[in-house]
Amino acid sequence: MLIGLLGKANVGKSTFFSAATETAVPIGNYPFTTIEPNVGVTYVRTKCACKHFGIAHQNELCIDGIRLVPVKLIDVAGLVPGAHEGKGLGNKFLDDARQAEVLIHVVDVAGTTDIQGQPVPVGTHDPLEDIAFVENEFDQWFKQILDREWQKLLREITQKTTNLVDGITKRFSGLGVKEFQVSEILKELNLHAKKPAEWTDSDILDFVKKLRKKTKPVLVAANKADLCKDLSVVDKIKQNNHVVICSAESELLLRKASKAGLIKYVPGDSAFEIQSQSLNPQQKQALDLVKVVLSKTHTTGIQEAINYAVFDLLKFITVYPVEDEAKLSNKDGVILPDARLLLAGSNAKDLAGTIHADLAKGFLFAMDAKTKLRISADHILKDGDVVKIVSSMSRG
C-alpha cells in the first residue's frame, strides 16, 4: 500500500513526512524543497490481538497492546496551479501521485502561504482556495487522459471492438481503475443511457470528477493548526471534505524527544510523559508549547490522518496470520509475529495469497484462533482475526 502526500509547495508536507516516517528530509520555507519524491515507511495504529487473549509478548511493533502496522508513504514534489498543463513540476508530481492508493492533501489551514507557496502573514490566505485548486488539477488531469482518447474510443465502440466500460477502464488502467467503478459512475450519472457520441464536455468532466473521487480518495490534513488563529475554518472545509486537524511540527518534535528518551510518547497519543529530569530550558519551553497545541487539537493529527486514510477511506482491516493457532505463534515460537492489512470483505484465501501465492494455490482450510473453529477459503475475515492457513503446499 502507498499513501501519497500532496499539496501546494511549503505547506508542511516534508515535515509531515519526516514526522510520520522518522526520516530526515530537507525541510525549508521556500517552494520546491522537495524535488524528487521521498518514500518512507510509516505505521497505522490499531489494537493488537494480544489484548483479546490477555497475553504479553515481545514485539517492537506492539507497544502496551497498541499494534503498529507498516505502510509506505510518498512525499511528492510541490504542486502549483496549472500543473496539468506542465507548469512547475506538475507532470512529474501527477505521475508520482498516480502510484498512491489514497492521498493526504496537506493544507496550510493557518493561511500563512499564498497559492504559489510563498510566505504571507498568518490568516491572509484562504485554505479553501488551495483545496479547490488541487482538486481541479487532478480533475483536469483525469479529463486530459479521457479527452485525448475520446475519438479513438468512439471509433472502437462503433466498430464493436470494445464497449464503453471496458474502453474507459483501459484508458485509466495506469491509475488502477476497475470496471465496476466505471460502471457504477455511469449509472450514478445516468450516462449509461446516453450514447457516448452524444456526451458533452460537461458530461466528461462530471464523469472524471466522480472517477477521481472514487479511485483516488483524498483526506485533507489541516496542517499548521498550532499557528491558526481561528480553527472555525475547519468546519467550512468539512462541508465537502474528509478532514483531520494537524500540527506536523508538534509531532516531529515529540518523535525526536521520544527517540532521545526525554519523553514517553506513542504516535497518536493525546499526551506525553516527561521521562528525563535534565531538560534544558529550550527543551522544556518547546514541550510546553506542544502541550498548548494538544490542549487545542487533542492530538497532533499525524497518526490520526494515516489511520483515517487506511481504515476509513480505503476500508482496510488488520488480520494476524500464525502457524500455530494454539500458541498464536510462528514456527520459531514468536507470538503474533505479523499483522496484515486486507480490504474489508477479504476472505481466508485472500490472506493466504498475501503470505505466498503457493499457500493460496494449495489452500485446504484455515483455523480461527479466537473461536477455535475451522473456516473455509471464502470465509470473510473480521478486523483483529488471528488465523492459521493450512495448505497442501505447506504440508509438502
Side-chain angles (χ1 to χ4, degrees):
M1 183 196 301
L2 186 63
I3 301 172
L5 293 182
L6 64 87
K8 71 180 186 185
N10 198 22
V11 293
K13 294 196 318 299
S14 294
T15 305
F16 187 115
F17 176 88
S18 190
T21 63
E22 298 187 31
T23 303
V25 297
I27 298 173
N29 194 31
Y30 50 90
F32 304 130
T33 303
T34 303
I35 301 299
E36 292 298 322
N38 297 304
V39 182
V41 175
T42 187
Y43 300 86
V44 288
R45 169 179 167 153
T46 189
K47 184 169 71 174
C48 184
C50 68
K51 300 293 284 185
H52 172 86
F53 294 97
I55 60 173
H57 65 123
Q58 296 296 317
N59 190 312
E60 62 180 5
L61 295 181
C62 178
I63 305 170
D64 298 329
I66 297 169
R67 188 69 176 226
L68 302 176
V69 187
V71 294
K72 284 186 179 180
L73 186 68
I74 181 172
D75 171 23
V76 297
L79 184 64
V80 297
H84 70 280
E85 298 172 340
K87 294 180 181 178
L89 301 175
N91 290 331
K92 178 170 176 49
F93 169 88
L94 292 166
D95 190 57
D96 290 338
R98 172 188 59 80
Q99 305 169 51
E101 296 172 63
V102 62
L103 300 166
I104 296 177
H105 180 189
V106 184
V107 172
D108 177 2
V109 74
T112 66
T113 46
D114 65 19
I115 198 71
Q116 299 291 339
Q118 299 287 352
V120 296
V122 176
T124 58
H125 181 73
D126 185 357
L128 289 170
E129 186 180 344
D130 298 338
I131 295 170
F133 111 70
V134 168
E135 287 184 351
N136 182 63
E137 290 301 329
F138 268 87
D139 290 341
Q140 293 301 324
W141 180 45
F142 270 53
K143 188 171 183 295
Q144 281 184 344
I145 293 172
L146 196 53
D147 277 345
R148 64 173 175 252
E149 289 283 315
W150 189 246
Q151 293 305 316
K152 183 179 179 182
L153 175 57
L154 292 180
R155 288 195 299 272
E156 291 175 359
I157 293 172
T158 300
Q159 295 166 1
K160 297 186 178 180
T161 57
T162 190
N163 58 50
L164 183 60
V165 173
D166 291 342
I168 290 177
T169 304
K170 179 182 176 182
R171 267 68 183 183
F172 288 96
S173 60
L175 291 167
V177 171
K178 304 292 190 297
E179 287 186 10
F180 78 89
Q181 294 170 324
V182 174
S183 184
E184 285 176 355
I185 295 169
L186 291 174
K187 289 179 181 177
E188 287 173 17
L189 296 174
N190 202 33
L191 288 172
H192 65 299
K194 193 172 184 179
K195 292 181 180 179
E198 296 174 354
W199 280 30
T200 64
D201 195 63
S202 178
D203 289 332
I204 292 176
L205 183 58
D206 288 344
F207 174 81
V208 296
K209 281 184 177 180
K210 286 269 191 181
L211 187 65
R212 188 263 304 166
K213 288 180 180 179
K214 192 177 288 284
T215 60
K216 294 292 178 190
V218 177
L219 169 68
V220 172
N223 194 35
K224 301 191 181 183
D226 49 309
L227 302 177
C228 192
K229 295 178 179 178
D230 184 6
L231 282 174
S232 64
V233 67
V234 174
D235 293 328
K236 296 179 182 178
I237 298 173
K238 283 182 179 178
Q239 292 176 12
N240 297 299
N241 304 273
H242 304 281
V243 187
V244 171
I245 298 173
C246 296
S247 173
E249 288 280 2
S250 298
E251 180 71 15
L252 184 59
L253 190 151
L254 290 174
R255 297 277 186 123
K256 287 181 176 180
S258 178
K259 198 170 185 178
L262 302 179
I263 64 172
K264 180 181 180 181
Y265 172 71
V266 179
D269 281 355
S270 58
F272 58 89
E273 182 182 326
I274 302 291
Q275 297 284 87
S276 172
Q277 301 302 316
S278 57
L279 293 177
N280 63 43
Q282 291 84 2
Q283 290 170 332
K284 187 176 185 308
Q285 182 182 23
L287 289 171
D288 284 344
L289 287 174
V290 173
K291 283 183 180 179
V292 173
V293 174
L294 292 177
S295 69
K296 182 168 65 170
T297 62
H298 306 297
T299 74
T300 69
I302 303 303
Q303 187 63 58
E304 187 181 351
I306 299 295
N307 270 33
Y308 196 100
V310 174
F311 295 133
D312 293 86
L313 293 185
L314 290 182
K315 309 295 184 185
F316 273 73
I317 61 171
T318 311
V319 180
Y320 301 81
V322 296
E323 294 178 75
D324 186 326
E325 75 276 19
K327 297 180 179 179
L328 309 175
S329 68
N330 62 13
K331 64 178 184 298
D332 297 319
V334 179
I335 297 172
L336 299 173
D338 193 16
R340 299 289 170 118
L341 292 170
L342 299 174
L343 278 172
S346 295
N347 58 39
K349 191 172 182 178
D350 293 327
L351 172 63
T354 70
I355 301 169
H356 198 287
D358 286 345
L359 205 60
K361 185 177 180 181
F363 187 99
L364 297 173
F365 62 91
M367 293 296 298
D368 185 325
K370 288 184 176 179
T371 64
K372 310 301 181 186
L373 296 175
R374 179 182 291 204
I375 56 180
S376 63
D378 59 1
H379 174 84
I380 301 301
L381 300 173
K382 302 183 299 298
D383 186 53
D385 276 353
V386 181
V387 178
K388 172 188 177 179
I389 304 294
V390 179
S391 169
S392 60
M393 296 299 187
S394 59
R395 286 180 169 181

